[in-house]
Amino acid sequence: ERERERMEAPGVEAVSRPVFAAMAPFSVPASSSTASSSSSSSSSIFAFADVPPCQTLYVHNLNERIKKHDLSKALYALFSEFGPVLDVHIRRTMHLRGQAFVSFKDINDATRAIHQLQATDLFGKPLHISYSKEKSHAVLKLEGVFTKMKKRKRAALAAAGGDGEPAQKRRQGIAAAAASSSSSV
């Protein structure tokens, strides 16, 4: 019954128990572990020691053979035990395969999730969890500071000493100048 409650979290449609049991999504490692395994899991928590804590977690070593929809539901169910999950972002490109980002509403919830879910088996593979290097779009929207990517790039270019003019407008200006010079000749 506890497994069914996990899958009936807010924002996740209910999954029947036989399907959920057939997927065998996750098993939490036993708390009575040897000293060597606990030290290796705690060292993996701090693999990105220079990354400051934030609400977005980077999860990797995910099973690549599981469908994106099923993986997203399982991650949401697993992480929602620690607090409100804003977003579960999974990409299937070759570069990002086997990775996901989970965004929480609170940093404390994210920290508890890292410490308690590190090395938890999800679809037959142990999770590797750390803080994300950047905040997710969901967190930025929650904070009210989200701007679209083009605006951020333009602002970064202007701050770096560039003119902040988008490349497309520059190309159009160059093309117009070339057309006017060829028509005048």
Side-chain angles (χ1 to χ4, degrees):
E1 185 171 292
R2 182 177 166 109
E3 292 175 357
R4 187 171 191 86
E5 289 173 7
R6 288 179 180 160
M7 291 309 293
E8 292 177 348
V12 175
E13 62 186 39
V15 173
S16 64
R17 187 175 175 88
V19 172
F20 188 69
M23 291 188 320
F26 52 86
S27 62
V28 178
S31 60
S32 61
S33 60
T34 62
S36 63
S37 67
S38 66
S39 66
S40 67
S41 69
S42 66
S43 67
S44 64
I45 291 173
F46 302 106
F48 298 102
D50 58 336
V51 177
C54 69
Q55 293 112 311
T56 306
L57 300 180
Y58 169 65
V59 183
H60 62 283
N61 196 34
L62 297 172
N63 193 331
E64 299 169 4
R65 297 181 180 185
I66 305 300
K67 292 183 181 179
K68 184 177 176 179
H69 179 70
D70 295 336
L71 186 59
S72 177
K73 287 170 76 170
L75 285 172
Y76 185 90
L78 184 63
F79 282 93
S80 64
E81 294 179 12
F82 300 97
V85 174
L86 299 176
D87 186 31
V88 176
H89 186 74
I90 300 172
R91 297 283 306 266
R92 286 295 189 173
T93 62
M94 187 59 86
H95 180 67
L96 295 175
R97 193 162 287 210
Q99 303 173 42
F101 294 91
V102 179
S103 302
F104 282 92
K105 193 171 184 177
D106 185 37
I107 294 176
N108 295 329
D109 297 336
T111 302
R112 282 188 308 123
I114 285 180
H115 290 292
Q116 292 183 12
L117 293 179
Q118 196 66 251
T120 298
D121 282 342
L122 181 69
F123 296 113
K125 293 182 81 175
L127 294 177
H128 297 166
I129 309 169
S130 62
Y131 293 110
S132 174
K133 292 180 182 178
E134 295 182 8
K135 293 182 180 181
S136 71
H137 287 185
V139 172
L140 292 174
K141 286 178 184 177
L142 181 70
E143 294 174 351
V145 295
F146 177 75
T147 58
K148 295 202 181 231
M149 185 61 81
K150 288 182 182 178
K151 289 182 181 177
R152 279 187 280 179
K153 283 184 179 178
R154 218 177 289 150
L157 182 62
D163 58 0
E165 183 179 283
Q168 183 179 7
K169 287 188 178 182
R170 284 194 300 259
R171 283 192 293 266
Q172 288 172 352
I174 293 169
S180 67
S181 66
S182 65
S183 64
S184 65
V185 174

